[in-house]
């Protein structure tokens, strides 16, 4: 098992899955465990899941597991809905509401940021002592969205670009040797 956490997003539904394996389909039960049955895609196609963000650089398996447990909990959006947005949401047709509920990208990024801030504030043993945790992003716009929402990344978090080939093959050299 590697010392990295991988988040994959579905290119059609924008659902997000987290795993500690380099492939989202290595464990089919993972999909059923993280996505409610009412929101499961009709077919699970490997080419519909692309890497979204990868966190690596954990000092120990324990720190990896603590971060994974907290970061994979259901999250809330970066900014709560305003009264106007909530009123508009209530008027949407059910199909549109379901599509918005399936879009888990922002909620997972917010949960990851809040998890790292929480670990930093509580001086957890999951905070790396010797090196930094690197977050490799498919699209680095999420780094700025977190900062715009008023959250700050801890000082021990570095950001980088996730190199993806053909939509779902991770090419970063630093991830090839993660153990």
């Amino acid at each position: 098992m590697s010392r990295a956490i991988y988040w994959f997003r579905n290119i059609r539904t924008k659902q997000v899955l987290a795993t500690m394996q380099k492939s989202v389909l290595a464990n089919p039960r993972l999909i059923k465990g993280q996505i409610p049955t009412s929101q499961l895609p009709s077919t699970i196609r490997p080419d519909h899941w692309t890497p979204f963000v990868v966190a690596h650089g954990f000092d120990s398996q324990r720190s990896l597991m603590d971060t994974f447990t907290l970061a994979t909990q259901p999250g809330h959006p970066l900014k709560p809905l305003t009264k106007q947005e909530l009123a508009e949401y209530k008027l949407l047709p059910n199909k549109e509401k379901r599509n918005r509920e399936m879009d888990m990208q922002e909620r997972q990024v917010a949960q990851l940021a809040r998890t790292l801030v929480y670990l930093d504030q509580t001086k957890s043993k999951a905070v790396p002592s010797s090196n930094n945790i690197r977050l490799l992003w498919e699209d680095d716009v999420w780094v700025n969205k977190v900062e715009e929402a008023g959250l700050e990344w801890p000082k021990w978090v570095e950001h980088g670009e996730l190199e993806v080939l053909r939509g779902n093959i991770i090419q970063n050299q630093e991830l090839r040797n993660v153990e």
Side-chain angles (χ1 to χ4, degrees), residues 8-154:
F8 292 89
R9 71 175 177 85
N10 188 302
I11 59 174
R12 292 181 64 212
T13 64
K14 298 180 183 173
Q15 293 170 312
V16 177
L17 294 174
T19 180
M20 288 184 275
Q21 300 171 350
K22 294 181 181 182
S23 171
V24 72
L25 296 174
N27 185 356
R29 291 177 293 167
L30 175 73
I31 295 172
K32 292 179 181 160
Q34 290 189 30
I35 296 178
T37 53
S38 63
Q39 296 178 352
L40 275 175
S42 56
T43 57
I44 308 297
R45 293 182 47 179
D47 58 333
H48 281 197
W49 296 94
T50 184
F52 180 53
V53 63
V54 177
H56 76 94
F58 296 94
D59 287 341
S60 66
Q61 193 68 24
R62 168 79 185 203
S63 63
L64 172 74
M65 291 301 294
D66 290 348
T67 306
F68 180 79
T69 301
L70 290 171
T72 56
Q73 299 299 316
H76 301 285
L78 287 168
K79 296 179 182 175
L81 293 176
T82 62
K83 288 183 179 182
Q84 175 68 25
E85 291 170 332
L86 190 57
E88 291 171 2
Y89 175 79
K90 289 179 179 178
L91 296 175
L92 290 173
N94 284 342
K95 186 174 183 178
E96 182 64 28
K97 286 181 187 177
R98 202 170 332 117
N99 287 341
R100 284 199 185 177
E101 289 169 4
M102 279 194 277
D103 185 356
M104 297 171 17
Q105 294 177 110
E106 180 182 352
R107 287 181 277 171
Q108 285 294 335
V109 170
Q111 184 65 18
L112 173 62
R114 289 182 184 118
T115 296
L116 295 175
V117 168
Y118 171 78
L119 293 173
D120 191 42
Q121 295 294 322
T122 59
K123 309 287 190 243
S124 169
K125 291 182 181 180
V127 174
S129 56
S130 60
N131 58 349
N132 291 336
I133 290 180
R134 281 187 46 83
L135 298 178
L136 302 175
W137 298 89
E138 173 198 28
D139 186 1
D140 62 353
V141 71
W142 290 106
V143 176
N144 298 328
K145 283 188 179 185
V146 167
E147 293 167 353
E148 289 169 5
L151 288 172
E152 288 188 26
W153 296 102

